[in-house]
Amino acid sequence: MERFTIDHDGVTIAVSRGGRGQPLVLCPGLSSTQADLDELSTLLRRDHDVVTFDFRGHGLASAADDYTFEAFFSDLSAVLARVDLPAPPVLVGYSLGADLAVRYAAEHPGAVDRLVLVDGANPIPEPFLTEADLPAFRAMWTVMAAANEPRRGTKRQVLLTGPEILALNVEIDEYRARILGLYQEIDRPIDLIMATSMAGDGDDELVVRANRNWRAGVERLTRARPDVTVSWLAADHLLVFSHAREIARLVASPAPTA
């Protein structure tokens, strides 16, 4: 394993590289770190030269003043610009990482060989966060930020506050409202790996609505881009941790177009 850092925009991004084969860049999601994705990245290294990294405010990366969508996109762009790869990589993005990957591929034609999007970058027809839902999500992410406190100073730390997580998710909703247009600009193969119960199981109205909206977004995408392959895993949004082997297998052998 090779470990190094990239300095840009006033932050230091921690990067790791290892494995052998086709280049692959694994882009984590919000509140996930290289350490969290260790099982998946280890499996991917069997067939790929894998680059992983920590976003600002995550893991071994430094803290920042700016935790906007644009700031995280600049982190991904800096890694891809400065890592010396012998060929365009497979770009695998999880959650927020998937949204960033779609934008990068749309803005840099030919820069990636293939996109694998894990439970993110979904052109959902309705916002994930409605005005009525904001208090519940504000409370949830405040609790989540507090739960991250014991991990400060470790390779699994997440430094964002509850309000910063909420603000970023509002931005993601706005971005997904127009992401279908970005998909139309990408001429590379695209594989989706999606959770059947993204918001979890149960009959709570918010959970049921979120899961229905998630599936509707995928259906919307496949109508516009019937060449996109979709694999559904019986899991919630934490599928990168619970189903790492299945995800690695799908990266190595994409599902046929539905």
Side-chain angles (χ1 to χ4, degrees):
M1 286 292 296
E2 178 187 6
R3 303 184 191 279
F4 54 97
T5 59
I6 293 174
D7 294 317
H8 91 106
D9 191 32
V11 296
T12 299
I13 304 300
V15 184
S16 302
R17 183 175 182 180
R20 185 176 300 173
Q22 182 182 19
L24 182 150
V25 176
L26 177 58
C27 184
L30 176 61
S31 297
S32 64
T33 68
Q34 290 185 81
D36 296 326
L37 297 175
D38 183 65
E39 181 181 4
L40 177 57
S41 57
T42 298
L43 291 166
L44 292 172
R45 288 188 195 105
R46 295 176 178 177
D47 301 299
H48 296 88
D49 172 13
V50 178
V51 174
T52 63
F53 65 97
D54 285 320
F55 281 119
R56 61 183 61 208
H58 289 68
L60 299 175
S62 64
D65 295 325
D66 185 358
Y67 292 118
T68 60
F69 187 92
E70 194 67 35
F72 285 105
F73 182 70
S74 76
D75 291 348
L76 171 61
S77 299
V79 170
L80 288 167
R82 301 190 194 181
V83 175
D84 184 18
L85 299 176
V90 178
L91 183 52
V92 181
Y94 165 54
S95 191
L96 167 64
D99 292 274
L100 301 172
V102 167
R103 177 175 166 187
Y104 185 87
E107 293 185 0
H108 299 82
V112 303
D113 180 69
R114 169 179 158 229
L115 285 179
V116 181
L117 310 173
V118 183
D119 224 37
N122 194 343
I124 48 178
E126 301 174 7
F128 187 70
L129 298 176
T130 67
E131 194 68 32
D133 297 329
L134 285 178
F137 280 103
R138 184 178 293 109
M140 180 183 73
W141 281 317
T142 297
V143 170
M144 181 185 298
N148 284 330
E149 284 293 326
R151 300 194 296 178
R152 282 183 175 263
T154 75
K155 60 185 179 180
R156 296 180 186 271
Q157 71 177 354
V158 178
L159 302 178
L160 280 73
T161 65
E164 286 169 336
I165 296 172
L166 177 63
L168 181 54
N169 275 276
V170 170
E171 278 197 89
I172 293 170
D173 256 358
E174 295 171 351
Y175 168 81
R176 288 177 179 168
R178 59 182 187 278
I179 196 173
L180 201 58
L182 295 180
Y183 274 108
Q184 300 289 23
E185 298 176 20
I186 299 172
D187 66 352
R188 300 286 85 194
I190 302 173
D191 303 308
L192 266 62
I193 303 173
M194 307 299 276
T196 56
S197 303
M198 183 275 294
D201 296 315
D203 55 6
D204 178 84
E205 179 186 354
L206 180 58
V207 169
V208 171
R209 176 158 46 87
N211 287 334
R212 183 173 59 242
N213 195 31
W214 203 243
R215 181 170 288 275
V218 175
E219 293 170 351
R220 186 176 178 223
L221 173 58
T222 54
R223 284 195 300 270
R225 288 287 306 263
D227 59 310
V228 169
T229 68
V230 182
S231 299
W232 292 95
L233 297 182
D236 60 21
H237 191 56
L238 299 180
L239 71 171
V240 288
F241 314 118
S242 61
H243 290 66
R245 290 189 177 277
E246 291 91 333
I247 293 170
R249 176 180 56 79
L250 288 167
V251 173
S253 302
T257 304

